[in-house]
Amino acid sequence: SKPSEWVERALERIERLDGRIGAFLALDEQALAKARALDERAPDHPLFGVPYALKDNICTEGLRTTAASRILANYVPPYSATVARKLAETGAVLVGKTNLDEFAMGSSTENSAFQKTRNPFDLERVPGGSSGGSAAAVAAGMVPFALGSDTGGSIRQPAAFCGVVGLKPTYGRVSRYGLIAFASSLDQIGPFTRTVEDAAWVLNAICGHDPLDSTSAPLPAEDFTQGLDAGVQGLRIGVVTDIDTTGLDPEVKRAVDAAVAALARAGAEVVEVSLPHCQYAVATYYLIAPAEASSNLARYDGVRYGLRVETDSLVETYERTRSEGFGTEVKRRIIIGTYALSSGYYDAYYKRAQQMRTLIRQDFEAAFARCDVIVTPTAPTTAFRLGEKIDNPLQMYLNDLYTIPANLAGLPGISVPCGLSSQGLPIGLQILAKAFDERTLLRVARAYE
Ligand code: GLN
């Protein structure tokens, strides 16, 4: 078999299933032609000829990139994100762009301006978010891998809800060049895959220093597949004693406890650790992320990008463009963010949030002095029903309780499937590691898998 057959198979499966799932916003019309050109070449990389999808907030030259927002509905980027360029170099073939919450703001993919995405395990339930399209596409077997972005859990939580592997690398590990910015100090691109080994291969392909992203870490290339099968003998697994469990579904708790027991049987030492400031992580995140978003989204003014509502006055053009172009959740974040940054409130909100962020990072430093990885549930529940939380933003925000701390501290995290609930819904196990220690992270994930 050859690349054009693999891509044809992916396109057929998308054609057959995506009417019901809604994972894709657009397909790349050139995918098959690109794959045919590869048929003539000798494979020289594990991803050679492999079809994949990109979350639609990752720029692709000549291919519409919307961030699932009306304001970018017709935006065709003049350049590709570094991750897309790097994947093209391996010979992987982009087949399409996947749905998301508008500008990656959400936990259910219901905030897309264009369509809903359904969970392949139960079509009445959300795939999680914001990278719900990428998670659903991999879970439904449409593509072997897809990329998403994770600002507060948007790779790990949908991976948990859809029963696939989702990896958020260390902040700075993967270039953000060409990722449509949500909260720049938190955003990180990473893969959805069916196996931990595949996640390591994709990370190999997309990681590395990029002069086009000033926050990308100047580290030498690493092979994340090395040592993957070393097991957990001698590793210390941290279990958090003071994490909030009020909204934790008992079935999720049982599955995660069983996973910890399995790791212990495989030779790991289980140690208790404390993260005392993590109770403030959601509150901290929902100041810092909207503050950065309000600044990043100032560029959508009807002049430079995308939608423009023409009027007689410049100010009115700004106002109408932004009123009509942005959805409810994005507007809510802009208002929270500009409020938190405004003079008179800055010290009370934004500055306090930054101070709390430091305390959370220090909690992790202390915890990782005593263990190699920390294990928690990825999300407090399994996939919820479409419409269940959409009218209650606070409920929606609280779903990110376990994923947000890693973004605030810049740490790598992965969600691996950890069994099914009695209703047949996937449960995710989250593993966190020290900054730039994806090797240990993947090794533990692989041992559990
Ligand atoms: N659900 C979180 C939010 O709405 C995280 C989103 C993300 O990681 N992009 O901000």
Side-chain angles (χ1 to χ4, degrees), residues 104-107 130 149-154 182 285-286 333 400:
M105 297 176 189
S107 305
S130 64
S149 65
D150 190 314
T151 305
S154 283
F182 164 10
Y285 172 88
Y286 278 99
R333 307 271 179 123
D400 301 331

Side-chain angles (χ1 to χ4, degrees), residues 55 101 103-108 111 129-131 149-156 182 187 285-286 289 329 333 396-397 400 403-404 407:
K55 185 178 184 178
D101 287 299
F103 284 104
M105 297 176 189
S107 305
S108 67
N111 292 333
S130 64
S131 316
S149 65
D150 190 314
T151 305
S154 283
I155 293 174
R156 289 160 288 158
F182 164 10
D187 296 343
Y285 172 88
Y286 278 99
E329 183 60 25
R333 307 271 179 123
M396 193 74 93
Y397 297 171
D400 301 331
T403 48
I404 280 175
N407 299 81

